[in-house]
Amino acid sequence: MLKEDPELKKAFEARLQDKAFAEDPRARMDFFYQHSAYYDQAYRTYPVLMEY
């Protein structure tokens, strides 16, 4: 992913400046998941019906 998207690489390298992020493999994996085609854009979004 980093080879194909220079903007993603730049964002990832910027996040690596945060020591907690750099030392947390789960956070790094989550970063790539959120920027992949498999990430659910509607995650934690709930439909709300309003009746008048």
Side-chain angles (χ1 to χ4, degrees):
M1 288 175 66
L2 295 176
K3 287 181 183 179
E4 295 173 4
D5 189 353
E7 289 298 315
L8 179 63
K9 182 177 182 179
K10 188 175 182 180
F12 181 66
E13 289 174 350
R15 288 291 310 270
L16 285 176
Q17 300 305 311
D18 177 14
K19 186 177 180 180
F21 177 79
E23 293 177 352
D24 186 357
R26 179 81 175 180
R28 293 191 312 267
M29 183 177 69
D30 237 13
F31 174 86
F32 286 107
Y33 171 63
Q34 291 175 5
H35 291 87
S36 74
Y38 303 104
Y39 182 65
D40 183 6
Q41 298 296 324
Y43 179 65
R44 298 180 64 112
T45 302
Y46 301 96
V48 176
L49 175 64
M50 293 179 59
E51 293 187 27
Y52 294 97

CSV table of all heavy atoms in Angstrom, one decimal:
chain,number,residue,atom,x,y,z
A,1,MET,N,0.8,-1.2,0.0
A,1,MET,CA,0.0,0.0,0.0
A,1,MET,C,0.9,1.3,0.0
A,1,MET,O,0.5,2.2,-0.6
A,1,MET,CB,-0.9,0.0,1.2
A,1,MET,CG,-2.1,-1.0,1.2
A,1,MET,SD,-3.1,-1.1,2.7
A,1,MET,CE,-3.8,0.5,2.7
A,2,LEU,N,2.0,1.2,0.7
A,2,LEU,CA,2.8,2.4,0.8
A,2,LEU,C,3.5,2.7,-0.5
A,2,LEU,O,3.7,3.8,-0.9
A,2,LEU,CB,3.8,2.2,1.9
A,2,LEU,CG,3.3,2.1,3.3
A,2,LEU,CD1,4.4,1.9,4.3
A,2,LEU,CD2,2.5,3.4,3.7
A,3,LYS,N,3.8,1.6,-1.2
A,3,LYS,CA,4.5,1.8,-2.5
A,3,LYS,C,3.5,2.4,-3.5
A,3,LYS,O,3.9,3.2,-4.4
A,3,LYS,CB,5.0,0.5,-3.1
A,3,LYS,CG,6.2,-0.1,-2.4
A,3,LYS,CD,6.7,-1.4,-3.0
A,3,LYS,CE,7.8,-2.0,-2.3
A,3,LYS,NZ,8.3,-3.2,-2.8
A,4,GLU,N,2.3,2.1,-3.5
A,4,GLU,CA,1.3,2.5,-4.4
A,4,GLU,C,0.7,3.9,-4.1
A,4,GLU,O,0.2,4.5,-5.0
A,4,GLU,CB,0.1,1.5,-4.5
A,4,GLU,CG,0.6,0.2,-5.0
A,4,GLU,CD,-0.5,-0.9,-5.0
A,4,GLU,OE1,-1.7,-0.5,-4.6
A,4,GLU,OE2,-0.2,-2.0,-5.3
A,5,ASP,N,0.8,4.3,-2.9
A,5,ASP,CA,0.1,5.6,-2.5
A,5,ASP,C,1.1,6.4,-1.7
A,5,ASP,O,1.2,6.3,-0.5
A,5,ASP,CB,-1.1,5.3,-1.7
A,5,ASP,CG,-2.0,6.5,-1.4
A,5,ASP,OD1,-1.5,7.6,-1.7
A,5,ASP,OD2,-3.1,6.4,-0.9
A,6,PRO,N,1.8,7.4,-2.3
A,6,PRO,CA,2.7,8.2,-1.6
A,6,PRO,C,2.1,9.1,-0.5
A,6,PRO,O,2.7,9.4,0.5
A,6,PRO,CB,3.4,9.1,-2.7
A,6,PRO,CG,2.7,8.7,-4.0
A,6,PRO,CD,1.7,7.7,-3.7
A,7,GLU,N,0.8,9.5,-0.7
A,7,GLU,CA,0.2,10.3,0.4
A,7,GLU,C,-0.1,9.4,1.6
A,7,GLU,O,0.1,9.9,2.7
A,7,GLU,CB,-1.2,10.8,-0.2
A,7,GLU,CG,-1.0,11.9,-1.2
A,7,GLU,CD,-0.3,13.1,-0.6
A,7,GLU,OE1,-0.6,13.6,0.5
A,7,GLU,OE2,0.6,13.7,-1.3
A,8,LEU,N,-0.4,8.2,1.4
A,8,LEU,CA,-0.6,7.3,2.5
A,8,LEU,C,0.7,7.0,3.3
A,8,LEU,O,0.8,7.0,4.5
A,8,LEU,CB,-1.1,5.9,2.1
A,8,LEU,CG,-1.4,4.9,3.2
A,8,LEU,CD1,-2.4,5.3,4.1
A,8,LEU,CD2,-1.8,3.6,2.5
A,9,LYS,N,1.8,6.9,2.5
A,9,LYS,CA,3.1,6.7,3.1
A,9,LYS,C,3.5,8.0,4.0
A,9,LYS,O,4.0,7.8,5.1
A,9,LYS,CB,4.2,6.5,2.0
A,9,LYS,CG,5.5,6.3,2.6
A,9,LYS,CD,6.6,6.0,1.5
A,9,LYS,CE,7.9,5.7,2.1
A,9,LYS,NZ,8.9,5.4,1.1
A,10,LYS,N,3.2,9.1,3.4
A,10,LYS,CA,3.5,10.4,4.1
A,10,LYS,C,2.7,10.4,5.4
A,10,LYS,O,3.2,10.8,6.5
A,10,LYS,CB,3.2,11.5,3.2
A,10,LYS,CG,3.6,12.9,3.7
A,10,LYS,CD,3.3,13.9,2.7
A,10,LYS,CE,3.7,15.3,3.2
A,10,LYS,NZ,3.4,16.3,2.2
A,11,ALA,N,1.4,10.1,5.4
A,11,ALA,CA,0.5,10.1,6.6
A,11,ALA,C,1.0,9.1,7.6
A,11,ALA,O,1.0,9.3,8.8
A,11,ALA,CB,-0.9,9.8,6.1
A,12,PHE,N,1.4,7.9,7.1
A,12,PHE,CA,1.9,6.8,8.0
A,12,PHE,C,3.2,7.3,8.7
A,12,PHE,O,3.3,7.1,9.9
A,12,PHE,CB,2.1,5.5,7.3
A,12,PHE,CG,2.5,4.4,8.1
A,12,PHE,CD1,1.7,3.9,9.1
A,12,PHE,CD2,3.8,3.9,8.0
A,12,PHE,CE1,2.1,2.8,9.9
A,12,PHE,CE2,4.2,2.8,8.8
A,12,PHE,CZ,3.4,2.3,9.8
A,13,GLU,N,4.1,7.8,8.0
A,13,GLU,CA,5.3,8.3,8.6
A,13,GLU,C,5.1,9.4,9.6
A,13,GLU,O,5.8,9.5,10.6
A,13,GLU,CB,6.3,8.7,7.5
A,13,GLU,CG,6.8,7.5,6.7
A,13,GLU,CD,7.7,7.9,5.5
A,13,GLU,OE1,7.7,9.1,5.1
A,13,GLU,OE2,8.3,7.0,4.9
A,14,ALA,N,4.1,10.2,9.3
A,14,ALA,CA,3.8,11.3,10.3
A,14,ALA,C,3.2,10.7,11.6
A,14,ALA,O,3.6,11.1,12.7
A,14,ALA,CB,2.8,12.3,9.7
A,15,ARG,N,2.4,9.7,11.4
A,15,ARG,CA,1.8,9.0,12.6
A,15,ARG,C,2.9,8.3,13.4
A,15,ARG,O,2.8,8.1,14.6
A,15,ARG,CB,0.8,8.0,12.2
A,15,ARG,CG,-0.5,8.6,11.7
A,15,ARG,CD,-1.4,9.2,12.8
A,15,ARG,NE,-1.5,8.5,14.0
A,15,ARG,CZ,-2.5,7.6,14.3
A,15,ARG,NH1,-3.5,7.4,13.3
A,15,ARG,NH2,-2.6,7.0,15.4
A,16,LEU,N,4.0,7.8,12.7
A,16,LEU,CA,5.0,7.1,13.4
A,16,LEU,C,5.8,8.0,14.4
A,16,LEU,O,6.6,7.5,15.2
A,16,LEU,CB,6.0,6.5,12.4
A,16,LEU,CG,5.5,5.2,11.7
A,16,LEU,CD1,6.5,4.8,10.7
A,16,LEU,CD2,5.2,4.1,12.7
A,17,GLN,N,5.7,9.3,14.2
A,17,GLN,CA,6.3,10.3,15.1
A,17,GLN,C,5.7,10.2,16.5
A,17,GLN,O,6.4,10.5,17.5
A,17,GLN,CB,6.2,11.7,14.6
A,17,GLN,CG,6.8,11.9,13.3
A,17,GLN,CD,8.3,11.5,13.2
A,17,GLN,OE1,9.0,11.9,14.1
A,17,GLN,NE2,8.6,10.7,12.2
A,18,ASP,N,4.5,9.7,16.6
A,18,ASP,CA,3.9,9.4,17.9
A,18,ASP,C,4.4,8.1,18.5
A,18,ASP,O,4.2,7.1,17.9
A,18,ASP,CB,2.3,9.4,17.8
A,18,ASP,CG,1.6,9.1,19.1
A,18,ASP,OD1,2.2,9.2,20.1
A,18,ASP,OD2,0.4,8.7,19.0
A,19,LYS,N,5.1,8.2,19.6
A,19,LYS,CA,5.7,7.0,20.2
A,19,LYS,C,4.8,5.9,20.5
A,19,LYS,O,5.0,4.7,20.3
A,19,LYS,CB,6.6,7.4,21.4
A,19,LYS,CG,7.4,6.3,22.0
A,19,LYS,CD,8.2,6.7,23.2
A,19,LYS,CE,9.0,5.5,23.7
A,19,LYS,NZ,9.8,5.9,24.8
A,20,ALA,N,3.6,6.3,21.1
A,20,ALA,CA,2.6,5.3,21.4
A,20,ALA,C,2.1,4.5,20.2
A,20,ALA,O,1.9,3.3,20.2
A,20,ALA,CB,1.4,5.9,22.1
A,21,PHE,N,1.9,5.2,19.1
A,21,PHE,CA,1.5,4.6,17.8
A,21,PHE,C,2.6,3.7,17.3
A,21,PHE,O,2.3,2.6,16.8
A,21,PHE,CB,1.1,5.7,16.8
A,21,PHE,CG,0.7,5.1,15.5
A,21,PHE,CD1,-0.6,4.6,15.3
A,21,PHE,CD2,1.6,5.2,14.4
A,21,PHE,CE1,-0.9,4.1,14.0
A,21,PHE,CE2,1.2,4.6,13.2
A,21,PHE,CZ,0.0,4.1,13.0
A,22,ALA,N,3.8,4.2,17.3
A,22,ALA,CA,4.9,3.5,16.7
A,22,ALA,C,5.2,2.2,17.5
A,22,ALA,O,5.6,1.2,16.9
A,22,ALA,CB,6.2,4.3,16.8
A,23,GLU,N,4.9,2.1,18.8
A,23,GLU,CA,5.1,0.9,19.6
A,23,GLU,C,3.9,0.0,19.6
A,23,GLU,O,4.0,-1.1,20.2
A,23,GLU,CB,5.5,1.3,21.0
A,23,GLU,CG,6.9,2.0,21.0
A,23,GLU,CD,7.3,2.5,22.4
A,23,GLU,OE1,6.4,2.4,23.3
A,23,GLU,OE2,8.4,2.9,22.5
A,24,ASP,N,2.8,0.4,19.1
A,24,ASP,CA,1.6,-0.4,19.2
A,24,ASP,C,1.3,-1.1,17.8
A,24,ASP,O,0.8,-0.5,16.9
A,24,ASP,CB,0.4,0.4,19.6
A,24,ASP,CG,-0.9,-0.3,19.8
A,24,ASP,OD1,-0.9,-1.6,19.6
A,24,ASP,OD2,-1.9,0.3,20.2
A,25,PRO,N,1.6,-2.4,17.7
A,25,PRO,CA,1.3,-3.1,16.4
A,25,PRO,C,-0.1,-3.1,16.0
A,25,PRO,O,-0.5,-3.0,14.8
A,25,PRO,CB,1.9,-4.5,16.6
A,25,PRO,CG,2.2,-4.6,18.0
A,25,PRO,CD,2.2,-3.3,18.6
A,26,ARG,N,-1.0,-3.2,17.0
A,26,ARG,CA,-2.5,-3.2,16.7
A,26,ARG,C,-2.9,-1.8,16.1
A,26,ARG,O,-3.7,-1.8,15.2
A,26,ARG,CB,-3.2,-3.5,18.0
A,26,ARG,CG,-4.7,-3.5,17.8
A,26,ARG,CD,-5.2,-4.8,17.3
A,26,ARG,NE,-6.6,-4.8,17.3
A,26,ARG,CZ,-7.3,-5.8,16.9
A,26,ARG,NH1,-6.7,-6.9,16.5
A,26,ARG,NH2,-8.6,-5.8,16.9
A,27,ALA,N,-2.4,-0.8,16.6
A,27,ALA,CA,-2.7,0.6,16.1
A,27,ALA,C,-2.2,0.7,14.7
A,27,ALA,O,-2.9,1.3,13.8
A,27,ALA,CB,-2.1,1.7,17.0
A,28,ARG,N,-1.0,0.2,14.4
A,28,ARG,CA,-0.5,0.3,13.0
A,28,ARG,C,-1.3,-0.5,12.1
A,28,ARG,O,-1.6,-0.1,11.0
A,28,ARG,CB,1.0,-0.1,13.0
A,28,ARG,CG,1.9,0.8,13.8
A,28,ARG,CD,3.3,0.6,13.5
A,28,ARG,NE,3.7,-0.8,13.7
A,28,ARG,CZ,4.2,-1.4,14.8
A,28,ARG,NH1,4.3,-0.6,15.9
A,28,ARG,NH2,4.5,-2.6,14.8
A,29,MET,N,-1.7,-1.7,12.5
A,29,MET,CA,-2.6,-2.5,11.7
A,29,MET,C,-3.9,-1.8,11.4
A,29,MET,O,-4.5,-1.8,10.3
A,29,MET,CB,-2.8,-3.9,12.3
A,29,MET,CG,-3.6,-4.8,11.5
A,29,MET,SD,-3.8,-6.5,12.2
A,29,MET,CE,-4.9,-6.1,13.6
A,30,ASP,N,-4.5,-1.2,12.5
A,30,ASP,CA,-5.7,-0.5,12.3
A,30,ASP,C,-5.6,0.6,11.3
A,30,ASP,O,-6.6,0.9,10.6
A,30,ASP,CB,-6.2,0.0,13.7
A,30,ASP,CG,-7.5,-0.5,14.1
A,30,ASP,OD1,-8.0,-1.4,13.5
A,30,ASP,OD2,-8.0,0.1,15.1
A,31,PHE,N,-4.5,1.3,11.3
A,31,PHE,CA,-4.3,2.4,10.4
A,31,PHE,C,-4.4,1.9,9.0
A,31,PHE,O,-5.1,2.6,8.2
A,31,PHE,CB,-2.9,3.0,10.6
A,31,PHE,CG,-2.5,4.1,9.6
A,31,PHE,CD1,-2.9,5.4,9.8
A,31,PHE,CD2,-1.8,3.8,8.5
A,31,PHE,CE1,-2.5,6.4,8.9
A,31,PHE,CE2,-1.4,4.7,7.6
A,31,PHE,CZ,-1.8,6.0,7.8
A,32,PHE,N,-3.8,0.8,8.7
A,32,PHE,CA,-3.8,0.3,7.3
A,32,PHE,C,-5.2,-0.2,7.0
A,32,PHE,O,-5.7,-0.1,5.8
A,32,PHE,CB,-2.8,-0.8,7.1
A,32,PHE,CG,-1.4,-0.2,7.0
A,32,PHE,CD1,-0.5,-0.3,8.0
A,32,PHE,CD2,-1.0,0.6,5.8
A,32,PHE,CE1,0.8,0.2,7.9
A,32,PHE,CE2,0.2,1.1,5.7
A,32,PHE,CZ,1.1,1.0,6.8
A,33,TYR,N,-5.9,-0.8,7.9
A,33,TYR,CA,-7.2,-1.3,7.7
A,33,TYR,C,-8.2,-0.2,7.4
A,33,TYR,O,-9.0,-0.2,6.4
A,33,TYR,CB,-7.8,-2.1,8.9
A,33,TYR,CG,-9.2,-2.4,8.8
A,33,TYR,CD1,-9.7,-3.3,7.8
A,33,TYR,CD2,-10.1,-1.9,9.7
A,33,TYR,CE1,-11.0,-3.6,7.7
A,33,TYR,CE2,-11.5,-2.2,9.6
A,33,TYR,CZ,-11.9,-3.1,8.6
A,33,TYR,OH,-13.2,-3.4,8.5
A,34,GLN,N,-8.1,0.9,8.1
A,34,GLN,CA,-8.9,2.1,7.9
A,34,GLN,C,-8.7,2.8,6.6
A,34,GLN,O,-9.5,3.5,6.0
A,34,GLN,CB,-8.8,3.1,9.0
A,34,GLN,CG,-9.3,2.6,10.3
A,34,GLN,CD,-9.0,3.5,11.5
A,34,GLN,OE1,-8.5,4.6,11.3
A,34,GLN,NE2,-9.4,3.1,12.7
A,35,HIS,N,-7.5,2.5,6.0
A,35,HIS,CA,-7.2,3.1,4.7
A,35,HIS,C,-7.3,2.1,3.5
A,35,HIS,O,-6.8,2.4,2.4
A,35,HIS,CB,-5.8,3.8,4.7
A,35,HIS,CG,-5.7,5.0,5.6
A,35,HIS,ND1,-5.5,4.9,7.0
A,35,HIS,CD2,-5.9,6.3,5.3
A,35,HIS,CE1,-5.5,6.1,7.5
A,35,HIS,NE2,-5.8,7.0,6.5
A,36,SER,N,-7.8,1.0,3.8
A,36,SER,CA,-8.0,-0.1,2.8
A,36,SER,C,-9.4,0.0,2.2
A,36,SER,O,-10.3,0.6,2.7
A,36,SER,CB,-7.7,-1.5,3.4
A,36,SER,OG,-8.8,-1.9,4.2
A,37,ALA,N,-9.5,-0.8,1.1
A,37,ALA,CA,-10.8,-0.9,0.5
A,37,ALA,C,-11.8,-1.7,1.3
A,37,ALA,O,-13.0,-1.7,1.0
A,37,ALA,CB,-10.6,-1.5,-0.9
A,38,TYR,N,-11.3,-2.4,2.3
A,38,TYR,CA,-12.1,-3.3,3.1
A,38,TYR,C,-12.8,-2.7,4.3
A,38,TYR,O,-13.6,-3.3,5.0
A,38,TYR,CB,-11.3,-4.6,3.5
A,38,TYR,CG,-10.8,-5.3,2.3
A,38,TYR,CD1,-9.4,-5.2,2.0
A,38,TYR,CD2,-11.6,-6.0,1.5
A,38,TYR,CE1,-8.9,-5.8,0.9
A,38,TYR,CE2,-11.1,-6.7,0.4
A,38,TYR,CZ,-9.7,-6.6,0.1
A,38,TYR,OH,-9.2,-7.2,-1.0
A,39,TYR,N,-12.4,-1.4,4.6
A,39,TYR,CA,-12.9,-0.7,5.7
A,39,TYR,C,-14.3,-0.4,5.5
A,39,TYR,O,-14.7,0.2,4.5
A,39,TYR,CB,-12.1,0.5,6.0
A,39,TYR,CG,-12.5,1.3,7.2
A,39,TYR,CD1,-12.4,0.7,8.5
A,39,TYR,CD2,-13.0,2.6,7.1
A,39,TYR,CE1,-12.8,1.4,9.6
A,39,TYR,CE2,-13.4,3.3,8.3
A,39,TYR,CZ,-13.3,2.7,9.5
A,39,TYR,OH,-13.7,3.4,10.6
A,40,ASP,N,-15.2,-0.6,6.5
A,40,ASP,CA,-16.6,-0.3,6.4
A,40,ASP,C,-16.8,1.1,6.7
A,40,ASP,O,-16.7,1.6,7.9
A,40,ASP,CB,-17.3,-1.2,7.4
A,40,ASP,CG,-18.8,-1.0,7.3
A,40,ASP,OD1,-19.3,-0.3,6.5
A,40,ASP,OD2,-19.5,-1.6,8.2
A,41,GLN,N,-17.2,1.9,5.7
A,41,GLN,CA,-17.4,3.3,5.9
A,41,GLN,C,-18.6,3.7,6.8
A,41,GLN,O,-18.7,4.8,7.3
A,41,GLN,CB,-17.6,4.0,4.5
A,41,GLN,CG,-16.4,3.9,3.6
A,41,GLN,CD,-15.1,4.6,4.2
A,41,GLN,OE1,-15.2,5.6,4.8
A,41,GLN,NE2,-14.0,4.0,4.0
A,42,ALA,N,-19.5,2.7,6.9
A,42,ALA,CA,-20.7,2.9,7.7
A,42,ALA,C,-20.5,2.3,9.2
A,42,ALA,O,-21.5,2.2,9.9
A,42,ALA,CB,-21.9,2.3,7.1
A,43,TYR,N,-19.3,2.0,9.6
A,43,TYR,CA,-19.1,1.4,10.9
A,43,TYR,C,-19.5,2.4,12.0
A,43,TYR,O,-19.2,3.6,11.9
A,43,TYR,CB,-17.6,1.1,11.0
A,43,TYR,CG,-17.2,0.6,12.4
A,43,TYR,CD1,-17.7,-0.7,12.8
A,43,TYR,CD2,-16.4,1.3,13.2
A,43,TYR,CE1,-17.3,-1.2,14.0
A,43,TYR,CE2,-16.0,0.8,14.5
A,43,TYR,CZ,-16.5,-0.5,14.9
A,43,TYR,OH,-16.2,-1.0,16.1
A,44,ARG,N,-20.3,1.9,12.9
A,44,ARG,CA,-20.8,2.7,14.0
A,44,ARG,C,-21.7,3.8,13.6
A,44,ARG,O,-21.9,4.8,14.3
A,44,ARG,CB,-19.7,3.2,14.9
A,44,ARG,CG,-18.9,2.1,15.5
A,44,ARG,CD,-17.8,2.6,16.4
A,44,ARG,NE,-18.3,3.3,17.5
A,44,ARG,CZ,-18.2,2.9,18.8
A,44,ARG,NH1,-17.6,1.8,19.1
A,44,ARG,NH2,-18.8,3.6,19.8
A,45,THR,N,-22.3,3.7,12.4
A,45,THR,CA,-23.3,4.6,11.9
A,45,THR,C,-24.7,3.9,12.0
A,45,THR,O,-24.8,2.8,11.4
A,45,THR,CB,-23.1,5.0,10.5
A,45,THR,OG1,-21.8,5.6,10.4
A,45,THR,CG2,-24.1,6.0,10.0
A,46,TYR,N,-25.6,4.5,12.7
A,46,TYR,CA,-26.9,3.9,12.9
A,46,TYR,C,-28.0,4.7,12.2
A,46,TYR,O,-28.0,5.9,12.3
A,46,TYR,CB,-27.2,3.8,14.4
A,46,TYR,CG,-26.2,2.9,15.1
A,46,TYR,CD1,-25.1,3.6,15.7
A,46,TYR,CD2,-26.2,1.6,15.0
A,46,TYR,CE1,-24.1,2.8,16.4
A,46,TYR,CE2,-25.2,0.8,15.7
A,46,TYR,CZ,-24.2,1.4,16.3
A,46,TYR,OH,-23.2,0.7,17.0
A,47,PRO,N,-28.9,4.0,11.5
A,47,PRO,CA,-30.0,4.7,10.8
A,47,PRO,C,-30.9,5.3,11.9
A,47,PRO,O,-31.2,4.7,12.9
A,47,PRO,CB,-30.7,3.7,10.0
A,47,PRO,CG,-30.3,2.4,10.7
A,47,PRO,CD,-29.0,2.6,11.3
A,48,VAL,N,-31.4,6.5,11.6
A,48,VAL,CA,-32.4,7.1,12.5
A,48,VAL,C,-33.6,7.5,11.7
A,48,VAL,O,-33.4,8.2,10.7
A,48,VAL,CB,-31.7,8.4,13.2
A,48,VAL,CG1,-32.8,9.1,14.1
A,48,VAL,CG2,-30.5,8.0,14.0
A,49,LEU,N,-34.7,7.1,12.2
A,49,LEU,CA,-36.0,7.4,11.5
A,49,LEU,C,-36.7,8.5,12.2
A,49,LEU,O,-37.0,8.4,13.4
A,49,LEU,CB,-36.9,6.2,11.3
A,49,LEU,CG,-38.2,6.4,10.7
A,49,LEU,CD1,-38.1,6.9,9.3
A,49,LEU,CD2,-39.0,5.1,10.8
A,50,MET,N,-37.0,9.6,11.5
A,50,MET,CA,-37.8,10.7,12.2
A,50,MET,C,-39.2,10.7,11.6
A,50,MET,O,-39.3,10.8,10.4
A,50,MET,CB,-37.1,12.0,12.0
A,50,MET,CG,-35.8,12.1,12.7
A,50,MET,SD,-34.9,13.7,12.4
A,50,MET,CE,-36.1,14.9,13.0
A,51,GLU,N,-40.2,10.6,12.4
A,51,GLU,CA,-41.5,10.7,12.0
A,51,GLU,C,-42.1,12.1,12.3
A,51,GLU,O,-41.9,12.6,13.4
A,51,GLU,CB,-42.4,9.6,12.6
A,51,GLU,CG,-42.0,8.2,12.1
A,51,GLU,CD,-42.9,7.2,12.7
A,51,GLU,OE1,-44.1,7.5,12.9
A,51,GLU,OE2,-42.5,6.0,12.8
A,52,TYR,N,-42.8,12.6,11.4
A,52,TYR,CA,-43.4,14.0,11.6
A,52,TYR,C,-44.9,13.8,11.9
A,52,TYR,O,-45.6,13.0,11.5
A,52,TYR,CB,-43.3,14.9,10.4
A,52,TYR,CG,-41.8,15.2,10.2
A,52,TYR,CD1,-41.0,14.5,9.3
A,52,TYR,CD2,-41.2,16.3,10.9
A,52,TYR,CE1,-39.7,14.9,9.1
A,52,TYR,CE2,-39.9,16.6,10.7
A,52,TYR,CZ,-39.2,15.9,9.8
A,52,TYR,OH,-37.9,16.2,9.6
